[in-house]
Amino acid sequence: MRKPLIVANWKMHNTASEASSFVEELLGKIGEISSVEVAIAPPFTALESVSKILSKTDLVLAAQNMYWEPEGAFTGEISPVMLRELDCRFVILGHSERRQYFGDGDGEVALKVGAALTEGLMPILCVGETLGEREQGKTFEIVERQVRSALDGGMPDSGGGLVIAYEPVWAIGTGKTATPEAAQEVHGFIRGLLENLLGEGLGDEVRILYGGSVKPDSVDSLMAMQDIDGALVGGASLDAESFARIIHFK
Ligand code: PEP
């Protein structure tokens, strides 16, 4: 049984103090959440303050990125060891904004996935095609390359130790959501690929999230799909009311 996972990706929003107030507000709105796992990925500077609040709740902490070395002369970088110490459970890797603006290619993503697994962090590996790639009929080819190359960096011991987020780049922050059927087609493809790469049992345990303009009015139909096991939510996670509604999808 795959427990649904809803992840808030705040990107570069909220200072440490804003983050604390927001999480307190959110907690006041969500109530009981035993049937779904919820993770918050604030900016690095807010990890500690959010971690302290989440430690008293069922919500868990995620980071938005990391470097692959445990320590060293890497100015400006954050290591998996540092994230673990703050009680991060997940780390988002290979987000399309990292690939597009910060030079994270398949090789870097593989190193990060390997390091996260070694240090006991669960990677949320983001994959997805651009609009041009979709129009050229390359969606499956791109997604397969991104999944295969990332797992060259390391394989999880259990299916539950890895999360994939399918995020069509054209749907991120644009208000355009893939239809549930179109998303399911890619999720089903990723499931088959994971069963091939990890074995049927493990591949079936991996949670595959959908990301790309998920909103309160689109979450229910997406979550009704067989291989959509949760959502990676950007914009709508910055509004406590909207995010609370997404967590309580029907
Ligand atoms: C994201 O940042 O991963 C994302 C899906 O953003 P949005 O929900 O704003 O499209």
Side-chain angles (χ1 to χ4, degrees):
M1 233 346 232
R2 302 184 296 263
K3 188 173 188 177
L5 171 64
I6 307 287
V7 183
N9 175 18
W10 285 359
K11 313 191 186 202
M12 200 174 70
H13 294 285
N14 287 331
T15 64
S17 58
E18 287 166 348
S20 300
S21 317
F22 181 92
V23 173
E24 298 287 9
E25 184 192 349
L26 179 68
L27 290 171
K29 290 186 191 295
I30 57 179
E32 174 60 32
I33 53 153
S34 58
S35 56
V36 56
E37 189 171 14
V38 178
I40 308 282
F44 287 132
T45 49
L47 282 172
E48 187 170 11
S49 58
V50 172
S51 181
K52 280 190 184 132
I53 302 174
L54 296 190
S55 66
K56 298 173 221 122
T57 74
D58 291 330
L59 280 66
V60 296
L61 191 65
Q64 298 178 17
N65 182 38
M66 58 167 227
Y67 194 57
W68 56 81
E69 293 290 349
E71 64 177 350
F74 303 106
T75 303
E77 293 295 333
I78 302 284
S79 87
V81 177
M82 296 167 181
L83 297 179
R84 281 293 314 148
E85 199 189 78
L86 291 174
D87 279 337
C88 273
R89 183 170 170 81
F90 297 99
V91 56
I92 299 171
L93 297 174
H95 191 280
S96 64
E97 287 153 15
R98 300 283 330 162
R99 294 182 193 258
Q100 187 180 349
Y101 305 129
F102 303 104
D104 283 14
D106 289 339
E108 287 79 12
V109 174
L111 287 165
K112 291 180 181 189
V113 166
L117 291 170
T118 304
E119 299 296 344
L121 285 160
M122 275 194 233
I124 300 176
L125 167 67
C126 299
V127 300
E129 80 288 2
T130 62
L131 185 58
E133 288 162 345
R134 171 159 281 257
E135 286 170 351
Q136 291 168 48
K138 290 186 172 165
T139 299
F140 297 133
E141 184 191 321
I142 298 295
V143 165
E144 177 164 356
R145 191 204 73 218
Q146 291 175 333
V147 172
R148 275 185 186 278
S149 61
L151 295 183
D152 277 348
M155 293 282 190
D157 295 335
S158 70
L162 174 70
V163 177
I164 307 267
Y166 168 57
E167 299 210 300
V169 179
W170 49 271
I172 297 179
T174 59
K176 293 183 193 147
T177 317
T179 62
E181 293 73 21
Q184 167 59 34
E185 200 185 2
V186 182
H187 282 233
F189 172 79
I190 295 172
R191 177 83 56 216
L193 180 60
L194 291 169
E195 286 174 352
N196 252 321
L197 293 169
L198 306 175
E200 214 167 295
L202 256 57
D204 194 48
E205 287 171 10
V206 175
R207 287 177 290 184
I208 308 176
L209 315 184
Y210 171 79
S213 297
V214 174
K215 303 277 185 266
D217 61 3
S218 57
V219 68
D220 299 344
S221 52
L222 287 161
M223 290 303 294
M225 296 289 125
Q226 186 184 340
D227 290 294
I228 300 186
D229 306 314
L232 180 52
V233 186
S237 73
L238 295 166
D239 178 85
E241 195 76 45
S242 295
F243 192 58
R245 170 63 184 85
I246 289 171
I247 291 170
H248 290 292
F249 66 86
K250 297 183 175 80

mmCIF file with all atom_site columns, all heavy atoms in Angstrom, residues 183-201:
data_model
loop_
_atom_site.group_PDB
_atom_site.id
_atom_site.type_symbol
_atom_site.label_atom_id
_atom_site.label_alt_id
_atom_site.label_comp_id
_atom_site.label_asym_id
_atom_site.label_entity_id
_atom_site.label_seq_id
_atom_site.pdbx_PDB_ins_code
_atom_site.Cartn_x
_atom_site.Cartn_y
_atom_site.Cartn_z
_atom_site.occupancy
_atom_site.B_iso_or_equiv
_atom_site.pdbx_formal_charge
_atom_site.auth_seq_id
_atom_site.auth_comp_id
_atom_site.auth_asym_id
_atom_site.auth_atom_id
_atom_site.pdbx_PDB_model_num
ATOM 1   N N   . ALA A 1 183 ? -1.482 12.683 -17.265 1.00 0.00 ? 183 ALA A N   1
ATOM 2   C CA  . ALA A 1 183 ? -0.507 12.471 -16.192 1.00 0.00 ? 183 ALA A CA  1
ATOM 3   C C   . ALA A 1 183 ? -0.401 10.976 -15.886 1.00 0.00 ? 183 ALA A C   1
ATOM 4   O O   . ALA A 1 183 ? 0.698  10.430 -15.770 1.00 0.00 ? 183 ALA A O   1
ATOM 5   C CB  . ALA A 1 183 ? -0.914 13.245 -14.946 1.00 0.00 ? 183 ALA A CB  1
ATOM 6   N N   . GLN A 1 184 ? -1.565 10.304 -15.789 1.00 0.00 ? 184 GLN A N   1
ATOM 7   C CA  . GLN A 1 184 ? -1.558 8.861  -15.488 1.00 0.00 ? 184 GLN A CA  1
ATOM 8   C C   . GLN A 1 184 ? -0.771 8.082  -16.538 1.00 0.00 ? 184 GLN A C   1
ATOM 9   O O   . GLN A 1 184 ? -0.063 7.126  -16.213 1.00 0.00 ? 184 GLN A O   1
ATOM 10  C CB  . GLN A 1 184 ? -2.993 8.337  -15.364 1.00 0.00 ? 184 GLN A CB  1
ATOM 11  C CG  . GLN A 1 184 ? -3.141 6.811  -15.358 1.00 0.00 ? 184 GLN A CG  1
ATOM 12  C CD  . GLN A 1 184 ? -2.387 6.103  -14.227 1.00 0.00 ? 184 GLN A CD  1
ATOM 13  O OE1 . GLN A 1 184 ? -2.262 6.629  -13.117 1.00 0.00 ? 184 GLN A OE1 1
ATOM 14  N NE2 . GLN A 1 184 ? -1.874 4.895  -14.507 1.00 0.00 ? 184 GLN A NE2 1
ATOM 15  N N   . GLU A 1 185 ? -0.867 8.496  -17.792 1.00 0.00 ? 185 GLU A N   1
ATOM 16  C CA  . GLU A 1 185 ? -0.146 7.786  -18.855 1.00 0.00 ? 185 GLU A CA  1
ATOM 17  C C   . GLU A 1 185 ? 1.365  7.789  -18.563 1.00 0.00 ? 185 GLU A C   1
ATOM 18  O O   . GLU A 1 185 ? 2.037  6.767  -18.672 1.00 0.00 ? 185 GLU A O   1
ATOM 19  C CB  . GLU A 1 185 ? -0.424 8.492  -20.194 1.00 0.00 ? 185 GLU A CB  1
ATOM 20  C CG  . GLU A 1 185 ? -0.154 7.622  -21.386 1.00 0.00 ? 185 GLU A CG  1
ATOM 21  C CD  . GLU A 1 185 ? -0.314 8.399  -22.691 1.00 0.00 ? 185 GLU A CD  1
ATOM 22  O OE1 . GLU A 1 185 ? -0.590 9.623  -22.672 1.00 0.00 ? 185 GLU A OE1 1
ATOM 23  O OE2 . GLU A 1 185 ? -0.127 7.761  -23.737 1.00 0.00 ? 185 GLU A OE2 1
ATOM 24  N N   . VAL A 1 186 ? 1.861  8.953  -18.147 1.00 0.00 ? 186 VAL A N   1
ATOM 25  C CA  . VAL A 1 186 ? 3.302  9.040  -17.852 1.00 0.00 ? 186 VAL A CA  1
ATOM 26  C C   . VAL A 1 186 ? 3.620  8.318  -16.541 1.00 0.00 ? 186 VAL A C   1
ATOM 27  O O   . VAL A 1 186 ? 4.634  7.621  -16.430 1.00 0.00 ? 186 VAL A O   1
ATOM 28  C CB  . VAL A 1 186 ? 3.768  10.518 -17.808 1.00 0.00 ? 186 VAL A CB  1
ATOM 29  C CG1 . VAL A 1 186 ? 5.268  10.588 -17.562 1.00 0.00 ? 186 VAL A CG1 1
ATOM 30  C CG2 . VAL A 1 186 ? 3.410  11.225 -19.113 1.00 0.00 ? 186 VAL A CG2 1
ATOM 31  N N   . HIS A 1 187 ? 2.755  8.461  -15.547 1.00 0.00 ? 187 HIS A N   1
ATOM 32  C CA  . HIS A 1 187 ? 2.990  7.770  -14.274 1.00 0.00 ? 187 HIS A CA  1
ATOM 33  C C   . HIS A 1 187 ? 3.021  6.250  -14.479 1.00 0.00 ? 187 HIS A C   1
ATOM 34  O O   . HIS A 1 187 ? 3.842  5.551  -13.889 1.00 0.00 ? 187 HIS A O   1
ATOM 35  C CB  . HIS A 1 187 ? 1.908  8.137  -13.243 1.00 0.00 ? 187 HIS A CB  1
ATOM 36  C CG  . HIS A 1 187 ? 2.118  9.479  -12.614 1.00 0.00 ? 187 HIS A CG  1
ATOM 37  N ND1 . HIS A 1 187 ? 2.150  9.686  -11.249 1.00 0.00 ? 187 HIS A ND1 1
ATOM 38  C CD2 . HIS A 1 187 ? 2.323  10.687 -13.182 1.00 0.00 ? 187 HIS A CD2 1
ATOM 39  C CE1 . HIS A 1 187 ? 2.354  10.972 -11.001 1.00 0.00 ? 187 HIS A CE1 1
ATOM 40  N NE2 . HIS A 1 187 ? 2.456  11.607 -12.165 1.00 0.00 ? 187 HIS A NE2 1
ATOM 41  N N   . GLY A 1 188 ? 2.104  5.762  -15.307 1.00 0.00 ? 188 GLY A N   1
ATOM 42  C CA  . GLY A 1 188 ? 2.072  4.318  -15.586 1.00 0.00 ? 188 GLY A CA  1
ATOM 43  C C   . GLY A 1 188 ? 3.363  3.881  -16.273 1.00 0.00 ? 188 GLY A C   1
ATOM 44  O O   . GLY A 1 188 ? 3.917  2.816  -15.969 1.00 0.00 ? 188 GLY A O   1
ATOM 45  N N   . PHE A 1 189 ? 3.842  4.731  -17.163 1.00 0.00 ? 189 PHE A N   1
ATOM 46  C CA  . PHE A 1 189 ? 5.101  4.439  -17.853 1.00 0.00 ? 189 PHE A CA  1
ATOM 47  C C   . PHE A 1 189 ? 6.266  4.395  -16.842 1.00 0.00 ? 189 PHE A C   1
ATOM 48  O O   . PHE A 1 189 ? 7.091  3.481  -16.858 1.00 0.00 ? 189 PHE A O   1
ATOM 49  C CB  . PHE A 1 189 ? 5.352  5.507  -18.928 1.00 0.00 ? 189 PHE A CB  1
ATOM 50  C CG  . PHE A 1 189 ? 6.696  5.414  -19.563 1.00 0.00 ? 189 PHE A CG  1
ATOM 51  C CD1 . PHE A 1 189 ? 6.953  4.470  -20.547 1.00 0.00 ? 189 PHE A CD1 1
ATOM 52  C CD2 . PHE A 1 189 ? 7.737  6.249  -19.167 1.00 0.00 ? 189 PHE A CD2 1
ATOM 53  C CE1 . PHE A 1 189 ? 8.214  4.358  -21.128 1.00 0.00 ? 189 PHE A CE1 1
ATOM 54  C CE2 . PHE A 1 189 ? 8.991  6.144  -19.739 1.00 0.00 ? 189 PHE A CE2 1
ATOM 55  C CZ  . PHE A 1 189 ? 9.230  5.200  -20.726 1.00 0.00 ? 189 PHE A CZ  1
ATOM 56  N N   . ILE A 1 190 ? 6.289  5.374  -15.937 1.00 0.00 ? 190 ILE A N   1
ATOM 57  C CA  . ILE A 1 190 ? 7.366  5.412  -14.923 1.00 0.00 ? 190 ILE A CA  1
ATOM 58  C C   . ILE A 1 190 ? 7.273  4.184  -14.021 1.00 0.00 ? 190 ILE A C   1
ATOM 59  O O   . ILE A 1 190 ? 8.281  3.571  -13.673 1.00 0.00 ? 190 ILE A O   1
ATOM 60  C CB  . ILE A 1 190 ? 7.299  6.719  -14.090 1.00 0.00 ? 190 ILE A CB  1
ATOM 61  C CG1 . ILE A 1 190 ? 7.573  7.930  -14.987 1.00 0.00 ? 190 ILE A CG1 1
ATOM 62  C CG2 . ILE A 1 190 ? 8.283  6.671  -12.920 1.00 0.00 ? 190 ILE A CG2 1
ATOM 63  C CD1 . ILE A 1 190 ? 7.342  9.277  -14.323 1.00 0.00 ? 190 ILE A CD1 1
ATOM 64  N N   . ARG A 1 191 ? 6.051  3.789  -13.675 1.00 0.00 ? 191 ARG A N   1
ATOM 65  C CA  . ARG A 1 191 ? 5.879  2.593  -12.824 1.00 0.00 ? 191 ARG A CA  1
ATOM 66  C C   . ARG A 1 191 ? 6.495  1.367  -13.516 1.00 0.00 ? 191 ARG A C   1
ATOM 67  O O   . ARG A 1 191 ? 7.239  0.601  -12.905 1.00 0.00 ? 191 ARG A O   1
ATOM 68  C CB  . ARG A 1 191 ? 4.388  2.351  -12.551 1.00 0.00 ? 191 ARG A CB  1
ATOM 69  C CG  . ARG A 1 191 ? 4.092  1.107  -11.739 1.00 0.00 ? 191 ARG A CG  1
ATOM 70  C CD  . ARG A 1 191 ? 4.224  1.277  -10.252 1.00 0.00 ? 191 ARG A CD  1
ATOM 71  N NE  . ARG A 1 191 ? 3.394  2.351  -9.774  1.00 0.00 ? 191 ARG A NE  1
ATOM 72  C CZ  . ARG A 1 191 ? 3.748  3.175  -8.776  1.00 0.00 ? 191 ARG A CZ  1
ATOM 73  N NH1 . ARG A 1 191 ? 4.900  3.031  -8.156  1.00 0.00 ? 191 ARG A NH1 1
ATOM 74  N NH2 . ARG A 1 191 ? 2.936  4.148  -8.392  1.00 0.00 ? 191 ARG A NH2 1
ATOM 75  N N   . GLY A 1 192 ? 6.196  1.203  -14.801 1.00 0.00 ? 192 GLY A N   1
ATOM 76  C CA  . GLY A 1 192 ? 6.740  0.060  -15.536 1.00 0.00 ? 192 GLY A CA  1
ATOM 77  C C   . GLY A 1 192 ? 8.259  0.106  -15.568 1.00 0.00 ? 192 GLY A C   1
ATOM 78  O O   . GLY A 1 192 ? 8.941  -0.917 -15.390 1.00 0.00 ? 192 GLY A O   1
ATOM 79  N N   . LEU A 1 193 ? 8.789  1.291  -15.777 1.00 0.00 ? 193 LEU A N   1
ATOM 80  C CA  . LEU A 1 193 ? 10.248 1.464  -15.820 1.00 0.00 ? 193 LEU A CA  1
ATOM 81  C C   . LEU A 1 193 ? 10.877 1.110  -14.463 1.00 0.00 ? 193 LEU A C   1
ATOM 82  O O   . LEU A 1 193 ? 11.893 0.404  -14.394 1.00 0.00 ? 193 LEU A O   1
ATOM 83  C CB  . LEU A 1 193 ? 10.539 2.931  -16.187 1.00 0.00 ? 193 LEU A CB  1
ATOM 84  C CG  . LEU A 1 193 ? 11.981 3.371  -16.306 1.00 0.00 ? 193 LEU A CG  1
ATOM 85  C CD1 . LEU A 1 193 ? 12.710 2.576  -17.376 1.00 0.00 ? 193 LEU A CD1 1
ATOM 86  C CD2 . LEU A 1 193 ? 12.032 4.869  -16.646 1.00 0.00 ? 193 LEU A CD2 1
ATOM 87  N N   . LEU A 1 194 ? 10.247 1.561  -13.388 1.00 0.00 ? 194 LEU A N   1
ATOM 88  C CA  . LEU A 1 194 ? 10.777 1.272  -12.041 1.00 0.00 ? 194 LEU A CA  1
ATOM 89  C C   . LEU A 1 194 ? 10.713 -0.223 -11.743 1.00 0.00 ? 194 LEU A C   1
ATOM 90  O O   . LEU A 1 194 ? 11.622 -0.782 -11.124 1.00 0.00 ? 194 LEU A O   1
ATOM 91  C CB  . LEU A 1 194 ? 9.986  2.047  -10.974 1.00 0.00 ? 194 LEU A CB  1
ATOM 92  C CG  . LEU A 1 194 ? 10.185 3.562  -10.971 1.00 0.00 ? 194 LEU A CG  1
ATOM 93  C CD1 . LEU A 1 194 ? 9.162  4.230  -10.062 1.00 0.00 ? 194 LEU A CD1 1
ATOM 94  C CD2 . LEU A 1 194 ? 11.608 3.926  -10.530 1.00 0.00 ? 194 LEU A CD2 1
ATOM 95  N N   . GLU A 1 195 ? 9.653  -0.869 -12.213 1.00 0.00 ? 195 GLU A N   1
ATOM 96  C CA  . GLU A 1 195 ? 9.546  -2.320 -11.978 1.00 0.00 ? 195 GLU A CA  1
ATOM 97  C C   . GLU A 1 195 ? 10.662 -3.053 -12.718 1.00 0.00 ? 195 GLU A C   1
ATOM 98  O O   . GLU A 1 195 ? 11.203 -4.038 -12.224 1.00 0.00 ? 195 GLU A O   1
ATOM 99  C CB  . GLU A 1 195 ? 8.160  -2.813 -12.402 1.00 0.00 ? 195 GLU A CB  1
ATOM 100 C CG  . GLU A 1 195 ? 7.093  -2.385 -11.389 1.00 0.00 ? 195 GLU A CG  1
ATOM 101 C CD  . GLU A 1 195 ? 5.672  -2.721 -11.806 1.00 0.00 ? 195 GLU A CD  1
ATOM 102 O OE1 . GLU A 1 195 ? 5.461  -3.160 -12.951 1.00 0.00 ? 195 GLU A OE1 1
ATOM 103 O OE2 . GLU A 1 195 ? 4.773  -2.519 -10.967 1.00 0.00 ? 195 GLU A OE2 1
ATOM 104 N N   . ASN A 1 196 ? 11.017 -2.506 -13.880 1.00 0.00 ? 196 ASN A N   1
ATOM 105 C CA  . ASN A 1 196 ? 12.131 -3.065 -14.640 1.00 0.00 ? 196 ASN A CA  1
ATOM 106 C C   . ASN A 1 196 ? 13.457 -2.872 -13.939 1.00 0.00 ? 196 ASN A C   1
ATOM 107 O O   . ASN A 1 196 ? 14.284 -3.773 -13.848 1.00 0.00 ? 196 ASN A O   1
ATOM 108 C CB  . ASN A 1 196 ? 12.244 -2.315 -15.974 1.00 0.00 ? 196 ASN A CB  1
ATOM 109 C CG  . ASN A 1 196 ? 11.810 -3.160 -17.126 1.00 0.00 ? 196 ASN A CG  1
ATOM 110 O OD1 . ASN A 1 196 ? 12.118 -4.345 -17.124 1.00 0.00 ? 196 ASN A OD1 1
ATOM 111 N ND2 . ASN A 1 196 ? 11.098 -2.571 -18.069 1.00 0.00 ? 196 ASN A ND2 1
ATOM 112 N N   . LEU A 1 197 ? 13.659 -1.654 -13.448 1.00 0.00 ? 197 LEU A N   1
ATOM 113 C CA  . LEU A 1 197 ? 14.956 -1.294 -12.878 1.00 0.00 ? 197 LEU A CA  1
ATOM 114 C C   . LEU A 1 197 ? 15.156 -1.836 -11.471 1.00 0.00 ? 197 LEU A C   1
ATOM 115 O O   . LEU A 1 197 ? 16.260 -2.229 -11.096 1.00 0.00 ? 197 LEU A O   1
ATOM 116 C CB  . LEU A 1 197 ? 15.111 0.234  -12.845 1.00 0.00 ? 197 LEU A CB  1
ATOM 117 C CG  . LEU A 1 197 ? 15.215 0.941  -14.198 1.00 0.00 ? 197 LEU A CG  1
ATOM 118 C CD1 . LEU A 1 197 ? 15.102 2.454  -14.041 1.00 0.00 ? 197 LEU A CD1 1
ATOM 119 C CD2 . LEU A 1 197 ? 16.545 0.587  -14.865 1.00 0.00 ? 197 LEU A CD2 1
ATOM 120 N N   . LEU A 1 198 ? 14.077 -1.855 -10.673 1.00 0.00 ? 198 LEU A N   1
ATOM 121 C CA  . LEU A 1 198 ? 14.214 -2.224 -9.255  1.00 0.00 ? 198 LEU A CA  1
ATOM 122 C C   . LEU A 1 198 ? 13.640 -3.600 -8.949  1.00 0.00 ? 198 LEU A C   1
ATOM 123 O O   . LEU A 1 198 ? 13.823 -4.113 -7.860  1.00 0.00 ? 198 LEU A O   1
ATOM 124 C CB  . LEU A 1 198 ? 13.483 -1.204 -8.354  1.00 0.00 ? 198 LEU A CB  1
ATOM 125 C CG  . LEU A 1 198 ? 13.840 0.273  -8.499  1.00 0.00 ? 198 LEU A CG  1
ATOM 126 C CD1 . LEU A 1 198 ? 12.919 1.116  -7.622  1.00 0.00 ? 198 LEU A CD1 1
ATOM 127 C CD2 . LEU A 1 198 ? 15.282 0.514  -8.087  1.00 0.00 ? 198 LEU A CD2 1
ATOM 128 N N   . GLY A 1 199 ? 12.909 -4.146 -9.896  1.00 0.00 ? 199 GLY A N   1
ATOM 129 C CA  . GLY A 1 199 ? 12.175 -5.393 -9.645  1.00 0.00 ? 199 GLY A CA  1
ATOM 130 C C   . GLY A 1 199 ? 10.722 -5.015 -9.366  1.00 0.00 ? 199 GLY A C   1
ATOM 131 O O   . GLY A 1 199 ? 10.437 -3.908 -8.897  1.00 0.00 ? 199 GLY A O   1
ATOM 132 N N   . GLU A 1 200 ? 9.820  -5.959 -9.646  1.00 0.00 ? 200 GLU A N   1
ATOM 133 C CA  . GLU A 1 200 ? 8.393  -5.642 -9.601  1.00 0.00 ? 200 GLU A CA  1
ATOM 134 C C   . GLU A 1 200 ? 7.922  -5.185 -8.213  1.00 0.00 ? 200 GLU A C   1
ATOM 135 O O   . GLU A 1 200 ? 7.219  -4.187 -8.083  1.00 0.00 ? 200 GLU A O   1
ATOM 136 C CB  . GLU A 1 200 ? 7.590  -6.868 -10.027 1.00 0.00 ? 200 GLU A CB  1
ATOM 137 C CG  . GLU A 1 200 ? 6.347  -6.492 -10.776 1.00 0.00 ? 200 GLU A CG  1
ATOM 138 C CD  . GLU A 1 200 ? 5.746  -7.709 -11.458 1.00 0.00 ? 200 GLU A CD  1
ATOM 139 O OE1 . GLU A 1 200 ? 6.389  -8.266 -12.372 1.00 0.00 ? 200 GLU A OE1 1
ATOM 140 O OE2 . GLU A 1 200 ? 4.651  -8.084 -11.024 1.00 0.00 ? 200 GLU A OE2 1
ATOM 141 N N   . GLY A 1 201 ? 8.389  -5.907 -7.180  1.00 0.00 ? 201 GLY A N   1
ATOM 142 C CA  . GLY A 1 201 ? 7.938  -5.580 -5.818  1.00 0.00 ? 201 GLY A CA  1
ATOM 143 C C   . GLY A 1 201 ? 8.335  -4.168 -5.429  1.00 0.00 ? 201 GLY A C   1
ATOM 144 O O   . GLY A 1 201 ? 7.506  -3.351 -5.004  1.00 0.00 ? 201 GLY A O   1
#
